[in-house]
Structures are given as C-alpha cells and as structure tokens.
Amino acid sequence: MKSNLDAPDWSTIPAPIDDGAARHLTGARMASVGLASTKGETVDLSALRGRVVVYAYPRTGTPGAENPDGWDMIPGARGCTPQSCSFRDHFAELRAKGVDHLFGLSTQDAAYQREAAERLHLPFAILSDEGLALTAAMNLPIFETSGMTLLKRFTLVIDDGVVTHVFYPVFPPDRNAADLIDWLSNS
C-alpha cells in the first residue's frame, strides 16, 4: 500500500527542461542575505565555512489542502515532499561525504516550513526566502502561479561561500540526494 509520501509516477508528470536560468550560478559568490530558518535562527549562506548544500524547491503542500490549479502539469513543480524525504533519508551519507551544512530553501514563510519540517522529521533546517531577497540578489530561477512567486527546483553546492556546482533542472526530485551523492563520490 502506498503512503501519501510515496513519489508519484514521474512518467505522468512533465519534466523540466534546462532553460539556462541557473547557468550563471556556478562560480558565483553567495550574496550576504539573512534567511529565517525552521530552527529559529537566521542563516547567511555566504558566511558559512565548509561545504554547504542547498536544495531549492517550489513549495510543500499541506495534507488535505489542494495544490494550485494545474500544479501537476507545471514542469518540475510536483515532488517537494519526496525530494525533502530523500535528503532526510540520505542525511548521514551526505555528512559522511563531506557536506557540513544541508538546507532546503523555498519562498514559503518559516512558520509554514516549520510544520512541514516537523511532519517530515527533517534533521536539517529549511530556509525561507519569503521576501525574495536572496532570489533577487542571486537571480535564482523562478516561476509564478496562482499569485505566488516560487523557486524552480535546483541544488547548489557551495564551498566557503562560492557556488561550485549546480544541479539544474532536478528531475525526478526524489533522485536529487542520490544524484548528489554520486557527484560527491566522483568529484
């Protein structure tokens, strides 16, 4: 029996294409922007030392609440919960591969994200770019739907404040953590 956390059949959902919206990020220094975290702290990704991984996603839904109209047909929109659960399930392995800090990132507010982080038992913080400050400063890939500005799905590998690798587009989302581990093992 499938639980509501199981991934959908990805073959029925349109895959995102590489539109070049993240090409400028490799080699970029992270902007100094304070982001609210689900752990109650403010995190400035530019100030963190060591290897930082940030996976960005559009939005997590709330159990029992409908997604925006047409959500499943927006390429790359579906899959935020399976992606987060994959990073949760691979957290220890990522740490063993040299990831000093792991964060999720969305434009949802920290209170909304906190509910999801608790419900999904995430051992890492989710960061909120609700005011789109980091999104604007770094020109992060976005899309708009139902009056919301949302991040497209991507993953940044940041070493001492500089983006050294970008996964974009990310599909299927539940493979993102395993793809990152493969990259870490071979780089």
Side-chain angles (χ1 to χ4, degrees), residues 69-166:
D69 285 341
W71 184 253
D72 286 357
M73 292 300 105
I74 299 170
R78 178 90 185 266
C80 302
T81 296
Q83 182 183 25
S84 290
C85 290
S86 177
F87 275 98
R88 175 199 65 204
D89 296 347
H90 290 286
F91 182 68
E93 190 174 357
L94 288 163
R95 297 284 298 190
K97 294 281 184 191
V99 175
D100 299 303
H101 307 278
L102 173 65
F103 300 101
L105 173 69
S106 79
T107 60
Q108 294 171 295
D109 67 62
Y112 189 98
Q113 294 172 327
R114 195 174 297 94
E115 181 281 325
E118 290 171 2
R119 175 172 36 89
L120 300 175
H121 307 286
L122 302 181
F124 50 84
I126 304 295
L127 305 177
S128 172
D129 192 20
E130 179 184 13
L132 303 175
L134 183 66
T135 298
M138 298 292 297
N139 192 24
L140 298 176
I142 58 169
F143 69 98
E144 295 184 3
T145 186
S146 301
M148 298 178 287
T149 300
L150 303 171
L151 293 169
K152 290 185 178 181
R153 195 177 309 280
F154 60 88
T155 300
L156 303 177
V157 178
I158 306 163
D159 290 300
D160 296 324
V162 176
V163 178
T164 54
H165 191 77
V166 180

